[in-house]
Amino acid sequence: MGNTIRVRVVVAGALTAVAAAGAVIGGQPADARAVTAAGHVQNSIKWGECPDLAPGTKRDPRQTCGTVKVPLDYRRPDGETITVAVSRIATAKHGKKRGDLLFNPGGPGLQGLDMPGQMALTLPKGVLDSYDLIGFDARGVGHSTPMSCGLSGTSLLTIFPYPGVGGSIEGNVTTARAVARQCATIGDKLRFFNSANTARDMDRIRRALGARKISYWGQSFGTYLGVVYASLFPHNTDRMVLEGNVDPGKVWAKMLNTWNQGMNDRFPDAARVAAADDAGLGLGGTVGEVTDTFLALADRLDRKPAMMPGTPVAISGALLRGVTYQMLQRNEMLAPLTRFWKAAADLSAGKAPADADVAVLRQILADTPAAKGVPADNQATMVLAMLCGDTTWSREVDSYADATAASRAKYPLSAGMPNNILPCAFWSQKPIEPVVKVTSHGSRNILILQNRRDNATPWAAGRGMRRALGDRAAFLGVKHGGHFVYGTGSTCADKATVAFLIKGTLPAKIASCDGPRP
């Protein structure tokens, strides 16, 4: 899930092997409530000023912040502690409050401290009157004891690697080894920053809020985090909205593999926008022609990257594909994406792009400085902590080469990236516990929102979430493109979400909504 234009890959993650009422800690069955009850448990939050914002960002002036101390290792609750940063916008009206609504934007590794203010702009009065809005930076992320592997110059394009010229993964293998070696320097601590412990932190937040139950809205990876919580703490889970879903049965390599079909489903939406402006863009007059132009451009840029005027930035095939993946997640980004393709094509052909296209290039590729106190590689570090720390990965390099070659042949738009080797193949630490088992046990209190054409968490992943939760959840499929459902043009989906949060009303077990087509 990313909320900015910068090149930041958004992953929807997964976790799992725990019965509905308990967790598995260190391989030994243990009741989740007993695990989190041991040691000092914070029972209140001192609300005050929030940490400094990143340059160029804004914050709802009503928001206040605080911290919750949690164990680094829940198996040793009286041992080392870390801090989780929490925020609140107290929107609930006196006499109408039914609870607290906790948000997570996914990533993994995206900061969620300011998500209440972002969501307050889109939620109707009925929801705001019913809930106080709660945000948090997940453990290790942002202002929550931020972790850093010291990955200087490493971007998420190197963590989610596109193969080199002709599909070679030799360079990717070298980079993956180097990144894993660098993260091994903090591996003894980083191994505790997994999805299950993040869910346990959420229950500590609930307790510090003084809430018997907590409601939750998770996007992308946040959907997986939500069902891990609901599986570990079913009796503490109130109403839960899951938007843009991970398949809990495919954590993690198999989930990344779904991006192949996701790209095939979503790319035509952008290609239609480009074809409609063939006279101005010259990328082709049909979806097929635009697709062929894109693939040929990516191949040329693989072989000879194009320098962006006045900068040291080279637009490679990997950068072209990475930006495309990111911008396909939001419908309002489709038109700028087609201008990016046009500018990249002009540069590759040795032409000077129009001033307007250069401006688009600069906006898209501009980096966003980190907030004070947050390491520059924080998100990259936490993506790896979750992906590599939740599950084990194959260490057979040849298997990645074979899978990448097969993927490139079948899904040229994603170019083999979803099957390529990651630093997880060389990770220094094994997972500290089995994945949490997501089951259908529990109250029917979950709403799944899933777009039909979502490249980041594809349709099949949303259906996988429904299968895992069974009758515990209602599945609302929207005939729409993009990674986000609520507030993107489907009145039907918006009304269903609001009715669920306010009244607890869920649609039929499997329902459908129309959505605007770009």
Side-chain angles (χ1 to χ4, degrees), residues 56-132:
T57 58
K58 297 180 180 180
R59 172 177 289 145
D60 191 308
R62 299 172 294 175
Q63 180 171 296
T64 57
C65 294
T67 58
V68 176
K69 284 194 177 297
V70 300
L72 172 66
D73 179 2
Y74 276 89
R75 299 171 301 182
R76 297 172 177 81
D78 290 314
E80 182 178 352
T81 61
I82 58 175
T83 298
V84 174
V86 184
S87 63
R88 179 180 68 173
I89 300 180
T91 54
K93 291 291 186 288
H94 180 69
K96 293 185 178 181
K97 180 177 179 179
R98 73 167 313 277
D100 298 293
L101 181 56
L102 181 67
F103 296 98
N104 181 271
L110 289 179
Q111 297 176 40
L113 203 63
D114 290 302
M115 197 171 174
Q118 298 160 8
M119 296 301 294
L121 296 174
T122 66
L123 292 171
K125 185 177 184 296
V127 174
L128 298 178
D129 287 350
S130 301
Y131 298 90
D132 285 343

Side-chain angles (χ1 to χ4, degrees), residues 482-494:
H483 192 33
F484 302 92
V485 177
Y486 182 82
T488 61
S490 174
T491 302
C492 165
D494 291 355

Side-chain angles (χ1 to χ4, degrees), residues 223-224 227 242-250 255 438-450 457-477 506-512:
T223 64
Y224 178 67
V227 294
L242 306 177
E243 180 181 18
N245 291 265
V246 171
D247 184 342
K250 293 187 175 181
M255 183 62 212
V438 175
T439 75
S440 59
H441 302 303
S443 301
R444 189 168 187 266
N445 56 359
I446 300 173
L447 175 62
I448 298 171
L449 301 176
Q450 183 66 44
T457 52
W459 179 255
R463 296 305 299 269
M465 177 67 85
R466 171 64 175 80
R467 283 193 299 273
L469 293 173
D471 290 342
R472 188 176 184 185
F475 178 91
L476 185 59
L506 282 170
K509 294 175 183 178
I510 298 179
S512 179

Side-chain angles (χ1 to χ4, degrees), residues 11 160 252-260 387 393 418 422:
V11 186
F160 296 96
W252 278 108
K254 291 180 180 179
M255 183 62 212
L256 268 60
N257 295 169
T258 67
W259 289 355
N260 288 309
L387 296 187
W393 290 67
L422 272 65

